[in-house]
Amino acid sequence: MKVEDFDFHLPEELIAQTPLADRTSSKLLIADYPNNQVTHTTFSHIVDELKAGDCLILNDTKVMPARLMGVKEETGAHVEVLLLTQLEGDEWETLVKPAKRVKIGTELVFGDGLLKAICTGIKDHGGRLFKMSYDGVFFEVLDQLGEMPLPPYIHEKLDDRNRYQTVYAKEQGSAAAPTAGLHFTQELLKEVEAKGVEIGYVTLHVGLGTFRPVSVDSIESHEMHAEFYRLPQVTADLITTTKARGGRVVAVGTTSTRTLESVAAKFNGELKEDSDWTSIFIYPGFTFRVIDAMITNFHLPKSTLVMLVSALTSREFILDAYQEAIDQRYRFFSFGDAMLIKGKDFK
């Protein structure tokens, strides 16, 4: 299967640069694959698409202010560092710009010495490993010095950093937001529960895979970057109970989907408490074991995320739905509108 098969033309003006004032007022495209139809509403009506006995699974990862502006201690040259993944102790995997300025042994200083870092390794993809040194609590220092790591296609400054955070974010460690969840408010989640829909949480810390383009011609040759996930036992039990009573499992976002399907693949279809690293790559031909539907945003052309959502229905159906979204002037990507994809067995 070719990467080019997942290309489409997106007018640049449809790339959302700022979030809407009301999280729930975004458009919602309902891609109903079993009935081969696409309809339109607003996100506040997502409750109407759920029924008592269903469960909704959210990713409670919290975005770090992971973009740091530093200088080389010996020359004063400016270097931008994006924290991706905490490894052991105070060692971090990062992306740096310009990378040519950072070699093994390079020392960087941030915030007049509040934080220092020394490069300890270079990854195959060009990323850098850094050992951090600081006084106090690392995440408190990061909160002082760091900026929210908005994707490169967003050029506007974010006035309120909480708008790039879900209202239920809890587990710090993500380099990017699980953006499908940005549409929910606490009030809307209460409406969901009032309808008899139970809510469960997983954690997947979004890392390099979000920023890494597919650089091969054939999908099967692409390797995903590993990301850390956690599935609590209470969520595993909720999903098992939901399926046993005939309810549907609706994943909020590709990250929740990848977490659930990773655990199911690891334990031959069974869900149980687990934390691990996943590099699962979902594309057409994949057999879903857990989810019945997915709430998601609109993704970049030729991205692994377009391939993932196509696997839940078909490539042709998703690309047709995307084209309708473009025709209807939907807003795309992180701060854009949403879609509910009803999978092949969604009843």
XYZ file of all heavy atoms in Angstrom, residues 208-287:
621
model
N 7.496 11.524 19.597
C 8.064 11.864 18.302
C 7.177 11.466 17.137
O 7.180 12.124 16.098
C 9.439 11.196 18.151
C 10.178 11.459 16.852
C 10.511 12.928 16.712
C 11.452 10.627 16.791
N 6.400 10.392 17.287
C 5.570 9.928 16.183
C 4.646 10.998 15.645
O 4.303 11.013 14.459
N 4.221 11.923 16.509
C 3.333 13.007 16.088
C 4.033 13.967 15.132
O 3.410 14.547 14.255
C 2.843 13.777 17.334
O 2.027 12.917 18.092
C 2.033 15.001 16.946
N 5.340 14.130 15.297
C 6.078 15.118 14.513
C 6.799 14.509 13.318
O 7.342 15.233 12.484
C 7.121 15.807 15.403
C 6.516 16.483 16.608
C 6.421 15.821 17.809
C 6.008 17.768 16.520
C 5.864 16.429 18.919
C 5.448 18.378 17.614
C 5.376 17.719 18.819
N 6.813 13.214 13.257
C 7.634 12.538 12.261
C 6.833 12.202 11.006
O 5.856 11.458 11.061
C 8.187 11.249 12.877
C 9.170 10.508 12.015
C 9.582 9.226 12.729
N 10.498 8.442 11.932
C 10.727 7.154 12.128
N 10.094 6.515 13.085
N 11.577 6.505 11.371
N 7.225 12.739 9.837
C 6.508 12.415 8.599
C 6.834 11.003 8.122
O 7.840 10.414 8.534
C 7.051 13.461 7.609
C 8.423 13.782 8.125
C 8.336 13.676 9.619
N 5.978 10.487 7.268
C 6.240 9.184 6.656
C 7.179 9.420 5.481
O 6.833 10.092 4.512
C 4.929 8.526 6.183
C 5.219 7.179 5.544
C 3.970 8.369 7.356
N 8.382 8.874 5.575
C 9.416 9.193 4.576
C 9.673 8.050 3.605
O 10.606 8.105 2.806
C 10.725 9.570 5.289
O 11.147 8.532 6.149
N 8.849 7.009 3.663
C 9.000 5.875 2.746
C 7.837 5.871 1.761
O 6.824 6.527 1.978
C 9.052 4.544 3.526
C 10.296 4.480 4.393
C 7.809 4.368 4.390
N 7.988 5.141 0.673
C 6.933 5.073 -0.335
C 5.850 4.071 0.042
O 4.670 4.270 -0.230
C 7.519 4.694 -1.702
C 8.437 5.778 -2.251
O 8.189 6.970 -1.947
O 9.400 5.430 -2.951
N 6.279 2.980 0.669
C 5.355 1.911 1.026
C 5.024 1.981 2.515
O 5.928 2.074 3.355
C 5.970 0.555 0.688
O 5.174 -0.497 1.164
N 3.742 1.956 2.844
C 3.307 2.029 4.240
C 3.957 0.938 5.086
O 4.395 1.186 6.219
C 1.771 1.903 4.311
C 1.119 3.180 3.804
C 1.304 1.602 5.721
C -0.385 3.081 3.720
N 4.045 -0.248 4.537
C 4.543 -1.383 5.312
C 5.992 -1.192 5.776
O 6.444 -1.854 6.713
C 4.427 -2.674 4.481
C 3.002 -3.130 4.238
C 2.311 -2.396 3.081
O 2.965 -1.536 2.446
O 1.127 -2.685 2.815
N 6.713 -0.271 5.145
C 8.119 -0.037 5.496
C 8.287 1.004 6.595
O 9.393 1.179 7.112
C 8.905 0.419 4.256
O 8.825 -0.541 3.228
N 7.207 1.682 6.962
C 7.310 2.749 7.961
C 7.384 2.167 9.370
O 6.670 1.233 9.712
C 6.103 3.690 7.862
C 6.122 4.796 8.877
N 7.032 5.823 8.812
C 5.363 5.030 9.975
C 6.825 6.647 9.831
N 5.818 6.189 10.552
N 8.265 2.739 10.194
C 8.388 2.310 11.590
C 7.924 3.455 12.495
O 8.399 4.571 12.387
C 9.844 1.931 11.915
C 10.318 0.690 11.178
C 11.722 0.283 11.589
O 12.240 0.858 12.576
O 12.295 -0.596 10.927
N 7.015 3.123 13.401
C 6.503 4.117 14.353
C 7.479 4.281 15.513
O 8.140 3.334 15.928
C 5.142 3.676 14.897
C 4.039 3.621 13.854
S 3.461 5.245 13.345
C 2.488 5.714 14.783
N 7.541 5.486 16.031
C 8.343 5.766 17.219
C 7.569 5.291 18.452
O 6.360 5.483 18.544
C 8.616 7.263 17.308
C 9.586 7.646 18.371
N 10.943 7.565 18.194
C 9.403 8.115 19.633
C 11.558 7.970 19.293
N 10.645 8.303 20.182
N 8.252 4.673 19.398
C 7.577 4.125 20.582
C 7.107 5.237 21.519
O 7.802 6.233 21.723
C 8.512 3.185 21.324
N 5.914 5.046 22.082
C 5.342 5.989 23.040
C 4.862 5.216 24.270
O 4.391 4.089 24.154
C 4.176 6.755 22.407
C 4.625 7.663 21.262
C 3.463 8.211 20.450
O 2.561 7.416 20.089
O 3.455 9.410 20.158
N 4.962 5.854 25.423
C 4.608 5.193 26.679
C 3.101 5.272 26.914
O 2.481 6.327 26.734
C 5.338 5.856 27.849
C 4.990 5.251 29.189
C 5.582 4.069 29.603
C 4.049 5.851 30.016
C 5.261 3.494 30.827
C 3.721 5.291 31.245
C 4.327 4.108 31.638
N 2.498 4.159 27.353
C 1.070 4.146 27.665
C 0.832 3.460 28.998
O 1.673 2.709 29.513
C 0.272 3.429 26.567
C 0.479 1.925 26.530
C -0.222 1.077 27.395
C 1.366 1.350 25.625
C -0.025 -0.300 27.371
C 1.570 -0.018 25.597
C 0.870 -0.840 26.474
O 1.067 -2.201 26.461
N -0.362 3.704 29.543
C -0.801 3.019 30.758
C -2.304 2.754 30.646
O -3.077 3.665 30.350
C -0.511 3.864 32.002
C -0.915 3.178 33.320
C -0.626 4.056 34.534
N 0.800 4.315 34.672
C 1.374 5.506 34.475
N 0.621 6.553 34.112
N 2.657 5.674 34.625
N -2.706 1.506 30.887
C -4.111 1.132 30.954
C -4.412 0.672 32.372
O -3.913 -0.371 32.806
C -4.435 0.014 29.961
C -5.856 -0.572 30.053
C -6.899 0.470 29.660
C -5.995 -1.817 29.175
N -5.219 1.427 33.129
C -5.562 0.997 34.489
C -6.534 -0.186 34.462
O -7.311 -0.347 33.511
C -6.240 2.238 35.089
C -5.995 3.359 34.133
C -5.783 2.733 32.798
N -6.523 -0.982 35.521
C -7.415 -2.127 35.601
C -8.880 -1.697 35.582
O -9.728 -2.364 34.980
C -7.130 -2.942 36.860
C -7.911 -4.253 36.946
C -7.541 -5.209 35.825
O -6.359 -5.450 35.571
N -8.547 -5.756 35.131
N -9.187 -0.562 36.230
C -10.578 -0.105 36.281
C -11.108 0.187 34.878
O -12.285 -0.076 34.577
C -10.720 1.131 37.211
C -9.945 2.331 36.659
C -12.179 1.491 37.430
N -10.257 0.700 33.993
C -10.684 0.971 32.606
C -10.809 -0.322 31.819
O -11.750 -0.490 31.027
C -9.703 1.927 31.921
O -9.587 3.125 32.694
C -10.174 2.290 30.516
N -9.868 -1.235 32.026
C -9.954 -2.544 31.358
C -11.251 -3.249 31.743
O -11.961 -3.800 30.885
C -8.746 -3.398 31.729
N -11.601 -3.210 33.038
C -12.841 -3.848 33.504
C -14.070 -3.166 32.920
O -15.049 -3.837 32.550
C -12.907 -3.804 35.034
C -11.865 -4.691 35.693
O -11.322 -5.578 35.001
O -11.592 -4.489 36.897
N -14.032 -1.829 32.833
C -15.158 -1.079 32.268
C -15.424 -1.507 30.830
O -16.582 -1.749 30.437
C -14.861 0.423 32.329
C -15.809 1.334 31.525
C -17.231 1.217 32.039
C -15.318 2.779 31.572
N -14.370 -1.628 30.041
C -14.535 -1.995 28.633
C -15.049 -3.428 28.508
O -15.955 -3.714 27.699
C -13.201 -1.814 27.877
C -12.841 -0.329 27.814
C -13.293 -2.397 26.469
C -11.446 -0.059 27.315
N -14.503 -4.323 29.299
C -14.954 -5.719 29.261
C -16.432 -5.826 29.614
O -17.210 -6.543 28.955
C -14.111 -6.572 30.230
O -12.728 -6.477 29.863
C -14.545 -8.023 30.198
N -16.842 -5.094 30.642
C -18.253 -5.092 31.063
C -19.148 -4.477 29.992
O -20.244 -4.985 29.710
C -18.407 -4.310 32.384
O -17.585 -4.917 33.381
C -19.848 -4.313 32.848
N -18.673 -3.380 29.399
C -19.441 -2.712 28.339
C -19.701 -3.657 27.178
O -20.836 -3.757 26.676
C -18.683 -1.462 27.842
O -18.547 -0.529 28.922
C -19.412 -0.796 26.687
N -18.680 -4.343 26.737
C -18.831 -5.256 25.602
C -19.749 -6.432 25.962
O -20.551 -6.871 25.129
C -17.462 -5.745 25.142
C -16.673 -4.685 24.376
C -15.433 -5.269 23.748
C -14.851 -4.326 22.704
N -15.720 -4.122 21.536
N -19.640 -6.910 27.194
C -20.462 -8.047 27.614
C -21.944 -7.713 27.607
O -22.788 -8.588 27.349
C -20.032 -8.512 29.002
N -22.290 -6.456 27.863
C -23.701 -6.072 27.887
C -24.174 -5.498 26.543
O -25.304 -5.014 26.422
C -23.949 -5.055 29.003
C -23.297 -3.708 28.793
C -23.559 -2.771 29.959
N -22.818 -1.536 29.806
C -22.129 -0.941 30.777
N -22.078 -1.478 31.991
N -21.490 0.188 30.560
N -23.310 -5.542 25.534
C -23.705 -5.093 24.200
C -23.510 -3.610 23.958
O -24.007 -3.075 22.958
N -22.787 -2.930 24.846
C -22.501 -1.523 24.649
C -21.368 -1.309 23.662
O -20.638 -2.247 23.310
N -21.231 -0.070 23.212
C -20.174 0.281 22.262
C -19.027 0.982 22.987
O -19.256 1.738 23.938
C -20.696 1.217 21.167
C -21.699 0.604 20.192
C -23.141 0.813 20.634
N -23.470 2.208 20.873
C -24.056 3.028 19.968
N -24.378 2.564 18.790
N -24.359 4.282 20.283
N -17.810 0.754 22.516
C -16.619 1.419 23.048
C -16.233 2.531 22.076
O -15.900 2.262 20.917
C -15.456 0.427 23.212
C -14.203 1.159 23.726
C -15.849 -0.699 24.159
N -16.309 3.761 22.564
C -15.991 4.930 21.741
C -14.696 5.537 22.267
O -14.636 6.042 23.389
C -17.129 5.968 21.773
C -16.782 7.167 20.895
C -18.442 5.325 21.329
N -13.654 5.486 21.461
C -12.353 6.038 21.848
C -12.291 7.502 21.435
O -12.663 7.858 20.309
C -11.227 5.262 21.185
N -11.826 8.342 22.340
C -11.618 9.753 22.013
C -10.167 9.917 21.584
O -9.251 9.938 22.407
C -11.950 10.667 23.205
C -11.671 12.131 22.857
C -13.412 10.493 23.598
N -9.972 9.961 20.285
C -8.645 10.205 19.735
C -7.901 8.959 19.304
O -8.176 7.836 19.739
N -6.935 9.191 18.430
C -6.084 8.105 17.949
C -5.191 7.572 19.058
O -4.796 6.404 19.029
C -5.214 8.589 16.777
O -4.440 9.724 17.202
C -6.085 9.011 15.589
N -4.856 8.409 20.049
C -3.981 7.953 21.132
C -4.696 6.955 22.033
O -4.111 5.940 22.428
C -3.461 9.142 21.955
O -4.575 9.907 22.453
C -2.574 10.038 21.105
N -5.948 7.234 22.368
C -6.728 6.266 23.150
C -6.889 4.961 22.368
O -6.779 3.865 22.927
C -8.109 6.841 23.485
O -8.002 8.003 24.275
N -7.146 5.102 21.083
C -7.300 3.923 20.224
C -6.045 3.080 20.222
O -6.095 1.848 20.399
C -7.635 4.375 18.785
O -8.875 5.076 18.786
C -7.700 3.189 17.844
N -4.894 3.711 20.028
C -3.632 2.970 19.962
C -3.314 2.286 21.287
O -2.771 1.176 21.314
C -2.497 3.892 19.520
C -2.659 4.387 18.079
C -1.519 5.302 17.654
N -0.284 4.555 17.560
C 0.804 4.813 18.279
N 0.797 5.788 19.179
N 1.892 4.093 18.112
N -3.662 2.936 22.387
C -3.432 2.324 23.697
C -4.248 1.039 23.843
O -3.721 -0.024 24.196
C -3.803 3.308 24.816
O -2.993 4.481 24.714
C -3.611 2.679 26.186
N -5.543 1.133 23.587
C -6.425 -0.023 23.770
C -6.063 -1.168 22.835
O -6.008 -2.337 23.246
C -7.880 0.400 23.552
C -8.428 1.449 24.527
C -9.839 1.848 24.130
C -8.393 0.927 25.965
N -5.805 -0.836 21.584
C -5.501 -1.893 20.619
C -4.113 -2.492 20.866
O -3.888 -3.671 20.570
C -5.618 -1.355 19.191
C -7.032 -0.896 18.807
C -8.080 -2.009 18.850
O -7.702 -3.203 18.714
O -9.274 -1.694 19.012
N -3.198 -1.706 21.442
C -1.875 -2.245 21.793
C -1.983 -3.304 22.876
O -1.361 -4.367 22.798
C -0.955 -1.108 22.264
O -0.656 -0.221 21.219
N -2.777 -3.000 23.904
C -2.931 -3.958 25.004
C -3.645 -5.215 24.504
O -3.253 -6.346 24.840
C -3.695 -3.319 26.180
C -3.942 -4.348 27.278
C -2.914 -2.130 26.736
N -4.689 -5.032 23.707
C -5.416 -6.195 23.182
C -4.517 -7.074 22.323
O -4.588 -8.306 22.389
C -6.628 -5.724 22.379
N -3.650 -6.455 21.525
C -2.726 -7.227 20.685
C -1.703 -7.961 21.549
O -1.330 -9.106 21.257
C -2.018 -6.297 19.704
N -1.279 -7.322 22.626
C -0.261 -7.912 23.513
C -0.798 -9.125 24.253
O -0.080 -10.107 24.462
C 0.207 -6.844 24.503
C 1.298 -7.296 25.462
C 1.744 -6.129 26.332
C 2.824 -6.552 27.317
N 3.275 -5.392 28.158
N -2.078 -9.082 24.643
C -2.657 -10.151 25.462
C -3.719 -10.956 24.713
O -4.659 -11.474 25.315
C -3.239 -9.565 26.749
C -2.206 -8.907 27.633
C -2.221 -7.542 27.836
C -1.206 -9.661 28.227
C -1.269 -6.919 28.639
C -0.249 -9.060 29.037
C -0.278 -7.684 29.238
N -3.578 -11.021 23.385
C -4.438 -11.872 22.563
C -5.919 -11.566 22.752
O -6.754 -12.462 22.924
C -4.162 -13.347 22.844
C -4.711 -14.260 21.771
O -4.815 -13.861 20.599
N -5.089 -15.471 22.144
N -6.238 -10.281 22.743
C -7.631 -9.860 22.804
C -8.123 -9.504 24.186
O -9.171 -8.872 24.337
N -7.380 -9.885 25.214
C -7.799 -9.595 26.586
C -7.300 -8.212 27.000
O -6.220 -7.771 26.589
C -7.232 -10.651 27.537
C -7.680 -10.493 28.974
C -7.040 -11.516 29.902
O -6.337 -12.420 29.393
O -7.245 -11.411 31.122
N -8.093 -7.535 27.806
C -7.678 -6.255 28.364
C -7.418 -6.420 29.853
O -8.257 -6.941 30.582
C -8.750 -5.185 28.142
C -8.943 -4.677 26.720
C -10.013 -3.592 26.699
C -7.647 -4.142 26.121
N -6.250 -5.953 30.282
C -5.931 -5.953 31.705
C -4.907 -4.861 31.973
O -4.317 -4.304 31.040
C -5.398 -7.313 32.148
C -4.195 -7.829 31.372
C -3.867 -9.242 31.833
C -2.747 -9.857 31.018
N -2.441 -11.237 31.453
N -4.745 -4.548 33.235
C -3.837 -3.461 33.611
C -2.460 -3.671 32.992
O -1.899 -4.761 33.040
C -3.714 -3.395 35.132
C -2.841 -2.261 35.617
C -2.862 -2.131 37.140
O -3.489 -2.984 37.798
O -2.266 -1.174 37.657
N -1.934 -2.586 32.388
C -0.643 -2.720 31.720
C -0.041 -1.338 31.508
O -0.763 -0.355 31.296
C -0.815 -3.418 30.364
C 0.514 -3.773 29.735
O 1.388 -4.301 30.447
O 0.701 -3.501 28.529
N 1.270 -1.261 31.582
C 1.999 -0.066 31.161
C 3.223 -0.528 30.404
O 3.907 -1.468 30.813
C 2.379 0.807 32.364
O 3.192 0.094 33.268
N 3.476 0.129 29.274
C 4.527 -0.346 28.379
C 4.763 0.734 27.329
O 4.175 1.818 27.378
C 4.095 -1.665 27.733
C 5.276 -2.510 27.271
O 6.408 -1.969 27.188
O 5.079 -3.708 26.981
N 5.612 0.403 26.374
C 5.856 1.284 25.224
C 5.236 0.636 23.998
O 5.346 -0.578 23.809
C 7.358 1.474 25.005
C 8.007 2.203 26.138
C 8.352 1.698 27.360
C 8.357 3.585 26.167
N 8.901 2.670 28.149
C 8.932 3.843 27.450
C 8.250 4.636 25.256
C 9.388 5.097 27.822
C 8.708 5.886 25.619
C 9.271 6.118 26.886
N 4.577 1.432 23.184
C 3.956 0.885 21.979
C 4.455 1.589 20.727
O 4.648 2.808 20.722
C 2.417 0.981 22.021
O 1.891 0.397 20.820
C 1.936 2.425 22.131
N 4.667 0.809 19.698
C 4.970 1.362 18.377
C 3.972 0.786 17.368
O 4.279 0.649 16.183
C 6.409 1.026 17.969
O 6.632 -0.373 18.037
N 2.773 0.483 17.840
C 1.744 -0.084 16.971
C 1.436 0.864 15.820
O 1.330 2.084 16.000
C 0.464 -0.409 17.777
C -0.499 -1.262 16.934
C -0.215 0.859 18.279
C -1.675 -1.806 17.742
N 1.325 0.321 14.632
C 1.027 1.096 13.424
C -0.258 0.508 12.838
O -0.284 -0.630 12.380
C 2.190 0.998 12.438
C 2.013 1.803 11.184
C 1.050 2.811 11.073
C 2.827 1.563 10.085
C 0.910 3.537 9.911
C 2.695 2.297 8.914
C 1.735 3.284 8.825
N -1.319 1.294 12.887
C -2.628 0.842 12.433
C -2.930 1.453 11.071
O -2.932 2.673 10.920
C -3.719 1.236 13.448
C -3.445 0.546 14.802
C -5.113 0.867 12.925
C -4.395 0.982 15.915
N -3.171 0.599 10.089
C -3.524 1.058 8.738
C -4.487 0.039 8.132
O -4.724 -1.026 8.724
C -2.278 1.260 7.874
C -1.350 0.081 7.779
C -1.525 -0.910 6.808
C -0.265 -0.048 8.648
C -0.666 -1.985 6.709
C 0.603 -1.133 8.562
C 0.402 -2.090 7.582
O 1.256 -3.170 7.487
N -5.107 0.363 6.983
C -6.130 -0.535 6.432
C -5.670 -1.978 6.332
O -4.557 -2.270 5.899
C -6.404 0.075 5.055
C -6.193 1.534 5.261
C -5.002 1.616 6.192
N -6.551 -2.860 6.789
C -6.245 -4.280 6.903
C -6.113 -4.706 8.353
O -6.186 -5.896 8.657
N -5.974 -3.715 9.247
C -5.878 -3.984 10.682
C -7.235 -4.450 11.213
O -8.277 -3.934 10.827
C -5.437 -2.713 11.403
C -5.277 -2.861 12.891
C -4.084 -3.315 13.431
C -6.315 -2.541 13.758
C -3.929 -3.450 14.800
C -6.172 -2.660 15.131
C -4.967 -3.124 15.652
N -7.222 -5.416 12.115
C -8.445 -5.888 12.753
C -8.547 -5.297 14.150
O -7.727 -5.585 15.021
C -8.454 -7.421 12.852
O -8.384 -7.980 11.533
C -9.731 -7.912 13.534
